Amino acid sequence: MEPGHYDRPINDNEVMSVKDWLITLLIMIIPCVNIIMLFVWAFSNNGNENRKNWARAYLIFLAVGIVLYILLMLVAGAAIFAMLGSLA
């Protein structure tokens, strides 16, 4: 190990270029890989802070969307169940 070199996270605070964003968005098109990469970008110690914050925000939106979807399906299922129960 070199003198003065420590195992500390390296955070990149530079502005991401258009090329970097295009690569990021292309990765987000690939099914399954996109979810894995969101977690990698959101929770890794290294990498660009802009991408890290974007990935965290995206994961929050996904979580809210999933919760709303589950609630909608529960309400719709209960309504259908009640309608079928009243027919019998």
Side-chain angles (χ1 to χ4, degrees), residues 2-3 5 12 22 25 27 35 41-42 45 48 52 59-60 62 73 79 83 87:
E2 299 175 15
H5 182 282
D12 180 12
L22 287 174
L25 294 175
I27 290 172
I35 302 296
W41 289 329
N45 291 331
N48 190 287
K52 182 185 290 192
L59 286 171
I60 290 169
L62 281 177
M73 289 298 112
M83 184 180 67
L87 293 177

Side-chain angles (χ1 to χ4, degrees), residues 11-14 16 21 24 37-44 46-61:
N11 293 327
D12 180 12
N13 292 324
E14 292 182 14
M16 289 180 56
W21 279 114
T24 300
M37 288 307 297
L38 276 175
F39 282 101
V40 169
W41 289 329
F43 301 114
S44 70
N46 300 329
N48 190 287
E49 287 291 322
N50 297 315
R51 185 183 289 139
K52 182 185 290 192
N53 289 332
W54 174 80
R56 289 177 178 172
Y58 201 97
L59 286 171
I60 290 169
F61 271 117

Side-chain angles (χ1 to χ4, degrees), residues 6-43:
Y6 303 103
D7 290 331
R8 60 183 164 92
I10 301 170
N11 293 327
D12 180 12
N13 292 324
E14 292 182 14
V15 175
M16 289 180 56
S17 67
V18 173
K19 178 181 132 186
D20 293 335
W21 279 114
L22 287 174
I23 292 170
T24 300
L25 294 175
L26 283 173
I27 290 172
M28 292 303 295
I29 294 172
I30 305 169
C32 296
V33 173
N34 56 6
I35 302 296
I36 294 168
M37 288 307 297
L38 276 175
F39 282 101
V40 169
W41 289 329
F43 301 114

Side-chain angles (χ1 to χ4, degrees), residues 69-81:
Y69 178 77
I70 290 171
L71 288 174
L72 179 67
M73 289 298 112
L74 288 174
V75 169
I80 291 171
F81 185 72

